[in-house]
Amino acid sequence: SPKSRGKFLFMKLGIAISTHDRREIADHSIAEWRKFLPIGAKLVVVDDASETPYPGADYRFEEKAGISVVKNKCIQLLDDCDHLVLADDDIHPIDANWATWYTHSNLQHACYVFERKMLWKEPDYIAYDLPRGCLLYFTRRCVEKAGGFDTKFTGQYEHAELSRRIFNMKLTPAPYIDI
């Protein structure tokens, strides 16, 4: 939970990057994440059984586990964080203020969306017809209430199912939203 120091409230941000057999791409993305990592943020890397283990990974699966299991491990490794960002190894921020956009959005969950049909736009978010799973944002409250990824999904729809579940719990104003 957030820590209070006087009148200031400090919330811990955690970023978890999952990777599988894309060393050069992951190296570049992780370097960019580190470049734009807010002070005090936690960064972890989970390797889903890459043929050549990713050096410095915080956790490595010995056998291919699949997206749902890997993302759940990411959530577990960020158990001391109030704001969680789960990212694939081929995406990274390009702006120093990226974290503030999510943590100050008043949203419990959002996902970076591109090349999808916009349904409507509000001052704080945009609703889309379909999600993307390459970058997902959650608050700790959201994860605690909705749980993690359903492991019956092994490579498709796992993020869409979780976003719908979060929406059905009335934690978001639409199933698939971005800031």
Side-chain angles (χ1 to χ4, degrees):
S1 68
K3 294 177 176 53
S4 178
R5 293 187 188 155
K7 65 179 184 174
F8 297 103
L9 191 62
F10 293 93
M11 291 187 237
K12 188 169 183 182
L13 172 68
I15 298 98
I17 301 166
S18 52
T19 188
H20 174 75
D21 283 335
R22 297 198 297 187
R23 171 74 188 272
E24 288 182 21
I25 292 169
D27 282 348
H28 173 74
S29 292
I30 292 167
E32 291 298 307
W33 278 106
R34 291 188 196 290
K35 179 178 168 184
F36 293 112
L37 196 64
I39 295 170
K42 178 179 184 178
L43 177 71
V44 298
V45 177
V46 175
D47 181 355
D48 189 13
S50 293
E51 189 173 316
T52 301
Y54 191 83
D58 296 275
Y59 188 88
R60 181 177 189 276
F61 287 94
E62 294 300 320
E63 294 183 13
K64 187 120 170 69
I67 294 169
S68 295
V69 172
V70 170
K71 296 297 186 183
N72 283 339
K73 176 54 77 173
C74 290
I75 291 169
Q76 180 186 6
L77 292 173
L78 299 178
D79 67 346
D80 59 339
C81 297
D82 304 302
H83 297 271
L84 295 77
V85 174
L86 308 184
D88 291 350
D89 60 5
D90 60 350
I91 190 166
H92 58 81
I94 57 171
D95 185 286
N97 294 317
W98 74 269
T100 305
W101 300 336
Y102 287 97
T103 60
H104 289 77
S105 69
N106 294 319
L107 294 172
Q108 297 290 313
H109 167 59
C111 51
Y112 173 63
V113 179
F114 57 95
E115 296 177 354
R116 297 294 195 207
K117 180 182 175 189
M118 183 178 77
L119 298 177
W120 73 85
K121 186 174 183 174
E122 297 290 335
D124 294 342
Y125 68 88
I126 302 169
Y128 291 92
D129 65 336
L130 294 169
R132 292 285 184 186
C134 58
L135 184 128
L136 304 167
Y137 164 77
F138 306 92
T139 63
R140 171 60 49 201
R141 176 181 175 266
C142 180
V143 169
E144 288 175 354
K145 186 166 182 181
F149 291 82
D150 186 333
T151 57
K152 75 178 176 200
F153 296 96
T154 59
Q156 286 188 322
Y157 309 111
E158 62 281 330
H159 58 282
E161 186 277 333
L162 180 54
S163 293
R164 276 193 305 272
R165 189 170 1 122
I166 290 167
F167 170 70
N168 289 337
M169 293 178 170
K170 302 190 182 327
L171 295 170
T172 56
Y176 313 123
I177 54 178
D178 195 2
I179 54 167

